[in-house]
Amino acid sequence: MPPYDPSAFPPFAVTVDLVVLTVRRHALCTLVVRRGESPYQGRWALPGGFVRAEEDLGAAAARELVEETGLCAYDPASPPPVPSNGAHLEQLATYGAPDRDPRMRVVSVAHLALAPDLPAPRAGGDANSARWAPVEEILGKDEAAVAAAAEDGGPEALAFDHARILADGVERARSKIEYSSLATAFCPPEFTVGELRRVYEAVWGVSLDPRNFHRKVTGTPGFLVPAGGTTTRQGGRPAQLFRAGGATLLNPPMLRPEV
Amino acid sequence: MPPYDPSAFPPFAVTVDLVVLTVRRHALCTLVVRRGESPYQGRWALPGGFVRAEEDLGAAAARELVEETGLCAYDPASPPPVPSNGAHLEQLATYGAPDRDPRMRVVSVAHLALAPDLPAPRAGGDANSARWAPVEEILGKDEAAVAAAAEDGGPEALAFDHARILADGVERARSKIEYSSLATAFCPPEFTVGELRRVYEAVWGVSLDPRNFHRKVTGTPGFLVPAGGTTTRQGGRPAQLFRAGGATLLNPPMLRPEV
DNA sequence: CCAAAAGTGTTTAGCGTACACCCATGA
DNA sequence: TCATGGGTGTACGCTAAACACTTTTGG
């Protein structure tokens, strides 16, 4: 083990990058911002920024989330995901290849945020410098391969290693809604079983049987609690409204159909 | 978003810390090293060190693993976990609370390594400055609560926030062997079904039915491949030897019994 | 009345569990 | 012979999948 000499450490910059996912018009979308400066000037990138000197990593991610979306992050540990437009926020992974930023050594602690559908994004007031981009449009169908090859790829490719980060975030979201109640983070505070099912269908890119899905989610204790009212959103029998229940782990899990 | 000014970033040190897990004498154990310097002088800590200026995060973790154990890390992406005494290595999470190290701002990218049982550890040649400590002995029974309260706790508590990191690593290992073939990383290259079962029992702290376990692992295609020979290790009918197969995902997963 | 979405009931097949039973070795 | 661990067969119960069917709205 090398001697622990605090005065001789290599200089690093530490940033947080955000994979903010939402479901819009039956498609899984992510927030991207237009880069105003070199390198990768004019290209789309994940939102992010430097961690401040006295700031925790999670706090930096929450601050960036507010700055980019106005979304308030809630702590996954606190039982009730109370606020009306809160977003789930969790650490994703850390990316620190020596050459990932040509200017200097930057280590980025990526975070994953899941949000309900929102109005148009705001990025420092500049409207067309931020957008919700369909994940499929950025990563293509074969996500793993594209993400690996996308760096320095075509003009639609994300800056830096952000395609890889996005692919990892999407994969995390896809697997985590299997065995947790996280899919409710894509829904408004009150939602119907059909809306929740369309979240699963959009995130997984599959079709699910509405009848079996209904039985599954309403039959799992603590997953959903009735909110009282009913709604008619699109011609048909009105649906009951639910809120996310206290249960965070889904046992047995929701089964993702084979492709 | 704050302006992106590379010359004005706060100074960070970036380290890697290692949660190295193995199964020894039916108990899940982790590698800890004795700290020779302040702060936390004389206390046990997870092995780790600074990331070098031109070094990738995973490479730094692999280097530390070799320095501390002589273990060679294999890339989980490459299909055959070839080397005889290789260890599984993956990124765990990143810890960067502003006050986690009293001397300076340190962000630690923790990694998780799973290794087969080894001879006594070596730490720079100093024999009694490193040991395999039973996880239960460090974290106690109720791991989440203890890990949260352990910092600045009794003399047996790990330095810094390492109890939290260890608890997170153990939890990752416990959940990941459910749905992946990762448990074979705790076994030597050739092993019996009974040895693999004892790995599950030690990591989960439960008893599993030997007959159903045998059917489950031998019936999952690609999980185990027969290695040919048989062995008598402890009086009884000789057992077939197996190698880890190519399958990395276990579907359906191994079910962890309720406690 | 018809379309559309919500919700319920029923059947079937697969898998996990429990446990009886046989096999092969050392002492 | 017995003890010990390896391995197989079988019956039971639960759950997911498939799908027929009823309910409640809007047009």
Side-chain angles (χ1 to χ4, degrees), chain B:
Chain B
M1 191 167 58
Y4 198 172
D5 179 357
S7 64
F9 67 92
F12 285 84
V14 176
T15 63
V16 290
D17 285 322
L18 289 180
V19 177
V20 188
L21 298 180
T22 194
V23 174
R24 291 179 71 109
R25 284 173 278 119
H26 290 193
L28 184 64
C29 296
T30 188
L31 182 64
V32 290
V33 298
R34 182 89 74 177
R35 280 188 60 78
E37 10 186 327
S38 186
Y40 301 99
Q41 187 169 12
R43 293 266 284 274
W44 295 103
L46 298 178
F50 285 104
V51 178
R52 294 180 180 164
E54 293 298 324
E55 188 179 44
D56 197 2
L57 300 176
R63 173 177 55 77
E64 291 288 338
L65 187 64
V66 171
E67 289 174 4
E68 303 284 348
T69 67
L71 234 43
C72 189
Y74 58 76
D75 185 351
S78 70
V82 269
S84 61
N85 66 340
H88 169 89
L89 182 63
E90 67 177 47
Q91 194 186 106
L92 177 58
T94 298
Y95 300 82
D99 59 350
R100 65 182 293 276
D101 188 316
R103 292 162 301 181
M104 60 186 307
R105 186 72 198 267
V106 177
V107 167
S108 175
V109 184
H111 285 70
L112 175 65
L114 308 185
D117 195 2
L118 296 170
R122 57 158 216 206
D126 188 350
N128 63 0
S129 70
R131 64 185 265 254
W132 291 107
V135 164
E136 189 178 293
E137 184 177 300
I138 294 185
L139 295 180
K141 295 281 188 179
D142 183 358
E143 287 171 11
V146 172
E151 192 164 356
D152 304 312
E156 285 306 316
L158 294 184
F160 304 109
D161 51 1
H162 288 186
R164 161 93 278 134
I165 299 175
L166 174 60
D168 291 346
V170 168
E171 178 51 36
R172 169 83 64 95
R174 285 190 175 144
S175 61
K176 215 159 175 184
I177 65 174
E178 280 187 63
Y179 57 90
S180 78
S181 63
L182 213 56
T184 58
F186 286 112
C187 296
E190 298 193 349
F191 54 89
T192 68
V193 173
E195 287 166 348
L196 184 62
R197 177 172 48 81
R198 281 182 281 274
V199 164
Y200 276 91
E201 291 177 333
V203 175
W204 284 344
V206 298
S207 290
L208 299 174
D209 186 301
R211 289 96 53 148
N212 293 332
F213 183 89
H214 185 278
R215 217 195 329 268
K216 171 79 178 174
V217 295
T218 57
T220 301
F223 187 16
L224 298 182
V225 294
T230 62
T231 313
T232 302
R233 301 203 203 240
Q234 46 211 330
R237 173 173 167 179
Q240 277 184 271
L241 285 172
F242 292 90
R243 260 186 257 276
T248 59
L249 250 44
L250 224 48
N251 204 310
M254 184 81 58
L255 291 188
R256 168 156 42 162
E258 303 296 324
V259 187

Side-chain angles (χ1 to χ4, degrees), chain A:
Chain A
M1 192 167 57
Y4 197 172
D5 179 357
S7 64
F9 68 91
F12 285 84
V14 176
T15 63
V16 290
D17 285 322
L18 289 179
V19 177
V20 188
L21 298 180
T22 194
V23 174
R24 291 179 70 109
R25 282 173 280 117
H26 290 194
L28 184 65
C29 295
T30 188
L31 182 65
V32 289
V33 298
R34 182 90 73 178
R35 281 188 60 78
E37 8 185 329
S38 185
Y40 301 99
Q41 187 169 12
R43 292 267 283 277
W44 295 104
L46 298 178
F50 285 103
V51 177
R52 295 180 180 162
E54 293 298 322
E55 189 179 43
D56 197 1
L57 300 175
R63 173 176 55 76
E64 291 288 339
L65 186 63
V66 171
E67 289 174 4
E68 303 284 349
T69 66
L71 232 44
C72 189
Y74 59 76
D75 186 352
S78 70
V82 267
S84 60
N85 66 340
H88 170 89
L89 181 62
E90 66 177 47
Q91 195 186 104
L92 177 58
T94 299
Y95 301 81
D99 59 350
R100 65 183 292 276
D101 189 316
R103 291 162 301 181
M104 59 186 308
R105 187 73 199 266
V106 177
V107 167
S108 175
V109 184
H111 285 69
L112 175 66
L114 308 185
D117 195 2
L118 297 170
R122 56 161 218 204
D126 188 350
N128 63 0
S129 71
R131 64 184 265 255
W132 291 107
V135 164
E136 190 177 292
E137 186 177 297
I138 293 184
L139 295 180
K141 296 279 189 179
D142 184 357
E143 287 170 11
V146 172
E151 193 165 358
D152 304 312
E156 284 306 316
L158 294 184
F160 304 109
D161 51 2
H162 287 186
R164 162 92 278 135
I165 298 175
L166 174 60
D168 291 346
V170 169
E171 179 51 36
R172 168 84 64 95
R174 284 189 176 146
S175 60
K176 216 159 175 184
I177 64 173
E178 280 187 62
Y179 58 90
S180 78
S181 62
L182 213 56
T184 58
F186 286 113
C187 295
E190 298 193 348
F191 53 89
T192 68
V193 172
E195 287 167 349
L196 184 62
R197 177 173 47 83
R198 281 183 280 277
V199 164
Y200 275 91
E201 291 177 332
V203 175
W204 284 344
V206 298
S207 289
L208 299 175
D209 185 301
R211 291 99 50 148
N212 292 332
F213 182 88
H214 185 279
R215 216 195 331 268
K216 173 80 178 174
V217 296
T218 56
T220 300
F223 187 15
L224 299 182
V225 295
T230 63
T231 313
T232 301
R233 302 202 202 243
Q234 47 212 330
R237 172 174 167 177
Q240 276 185 272
L241 285 172
F242 292 91
R243 259 186 260 274
T248 59
L249 249 44
L250 226 48
N251 204 311
M254 184 80 59
L255 291 187
R256 169 156 40 162
E258 304 296 324
V259 186

